Amino acid sequence: MAEDGGEVPRRSGIAQQFRESSDYLQFIIATLPLARGGNAEAQFYIATAMRFCRREYRAYFWDTRADRRRTLEQGLQHAAVTFGYSMTDAKEIFAKCDALMQTDVSDFGNEEAWLAASAEGGYALAQVTYAQDLMLVQAAPLSDLPFASVYPQAGRREALEYLHRAVRSKDPAVLWEIGQMNWSGAQPDEESEVRRWAWVLMACTRGADCSAQAPWTRYVCRFDPHCQPHEGTVDLIRRMAGGDFWRIEQDARELSARLDANDWSHLGLPEP
């Protein structure tokens, strides 16, 4: 594990190319030389493209009953009648993933290996994502988790070591991801939920994409009939938290101050 994990600066060019890509197969082909040369950011975004298509394309365009791929038209029909699905998202997913999912990618390497290499190389977003995977394997060691066989011996300690390295980057996207999981492993309670939302709110205030068009906002609003077109992540947290929002704001301010002071031992993260 890289000793200086989390300190490697993000190279925004690759991240921007990923965000702007309308065809992930072409993105991967263009980025592979950098990844093979050891660029940890390139490795992370190749893994991210592969993971996105594995999850989203299969959800929209794989008919599990018939065990066959849906056409674009069939996928749109499926989205139209499935609660929580979006025809707009279906079109976007098809454009980004159809070519990749119909291509033999065995020469491209695999998602899990690229993610592990990026985390080892010190890329903070890869480290927190890898840590999430490790925690999920520990919490639910199911054989159908695609990454379970890649690091079956890894445990909670390794996950938390990566987590502690990642947070030192202070990357808002990393802070956001920290807020997406219950790192303690204990049954969630009111206090842990307040703290989790505080991490998300802190990420928003420090520059994470918390707009109305952010992926998480769009996802939640598929299921929330009260969402308004102008509402972003903070609006949704305020509504879901109700009377506890002031506590979330207070915790977020305290966390942010400790982060700025490099007070790593008082962020409330469990020790490895």
Side-chain angles (χ1 to χ4, degrees):
M1 189 180 298
E3 290 301 318
D4 61 346
E7 297 297 336
V8 175
R10 298 182 66 193
R11 303 173 187 85
S12 59
I14 298 172
Q16 187 68 22
Q17 291 165 22
F18 173 76
R19 286 191 293 268
E20 295 176 353
S21 176
S22 59
D23 184 336
Y24 283 171
L25 174 61
Q26 293 305 312
F27 169 79
I28 290 173
I29 291 171
T31 311
L32 266 175
L34 289 172
R36 288 170 172 162
N39 184 306
E41 184 181 29
Q43 293 165 346
F44 173 74
Y45 281 103
I46 286 176
T48 300
M50 290 177 169
R51 177 169 296 201
F52 176 86
C53 290
R54 172 175 58 79
R55 291 177 173 176
E56 301 299 326
Y57 187 90
R58 286 189 64 84
Y60 278 85
F61 295 103
W62 190 257
D63 187 333
T64 54
R65 292 182 179 179
D67 195 27
R68 65 184 180 190
R69 188 180 69 88
R70 295 187 177 103
T71 65
L72 174 58
E73 184 60 33
Q74 290 169 337
L76 291 172
Q77 292 173 357
H78 177 64
V81 299
T82 303
F83 178 67
Y85 280 34
S86 160
M87 293 179 69
T88 300
D89 286 353
K91 292 176 183 177
E92 180 180 330
I93 292 163
F94 189 87
K96 288 181 175 180
C97 297
D98 186 61
L100 177 62
M101 296 300 288
Q102 296 199 63
T103 299
D104 180 0
V105 297
S106 55
D107 290 339
F108 293 173
N110 66 69
E111 168 195 325
E112 298 82 17
W114 283 126
L115 180 62
S118 181
E120 183 73 16
Y123 192 66
L125 261 177
Q127 291 177 323
V128 72
T129 305
Y130 192 63
Q132 288 170 333
D133 284 1
L134 293 178
M135 293 292 281
L136 287 171
V137 169
Q138 289 298 301
L142 305 176
S143 60
D144 60 346
L145 288 175
F147 42 78
S149 63
V150 178
Y151 27 71
Q153 303 306 313
R156 175 179 170 79
R157 178 178 60 80
E158 290 86 349
L160 294 177
E161 286 176 353
Y162 275 115
L163 173 66
H164 279 266
R165 285 166 169 79
V167 75
R168 291 172 181 262
S169 71
K170 304 181 184 180
D171 183 339
V174 169
L175 307 180
W176 169 275
E177 292 298 335
I178 291 174
Q180 298 307 302
M181 281 196 71
N182 172 21
W183 295 96
S184 71
Q187 188 70 21
D189 55 21
E190 181 178 327
E191 198 63 35
S192 66
E193 286 299 288
V194 167
R195 178 51 61 98
R196 189 173 72 83
W197 284 122
W199 278 93
V200 174
L201 183 59
M202 175 174 64
C204 292
T205 62
R206 297 176 74 101
D209 182 7
C210 296
S211 67
Q213 294 304 311
W216 184 86
T217 311
R218 290 171 55 188
Y219 176 78
V220 170
C221 284
R222 292 184 199 170
F223 303 91
D224 185 349
H226 301 294
C227 277
Q228 300 299 314
H230 65 276
E231 287 186 314
T233 301
V234 177
D235 299 303
L236 301 187
I237 295 174
R238 182 181 289 108
R239 183 162 64 244
M240 287 186 284
D244 282 332
F245 186 70
W246 71 271
R247 296 174 58 199
I248 294 170
E249 284 187 305
Q250 178 175 291
D251 277 12
R253 285 193 296 269
E254 292 175 357
L255 282 171
S256 192
R258 290 169 184 163
L259 202 65
D260 287 336
N262 296 335
D263 186 4
W264 312 116
S265 61
H266 293 92
L267 294 175
L269 297 175
E271 293 297 323

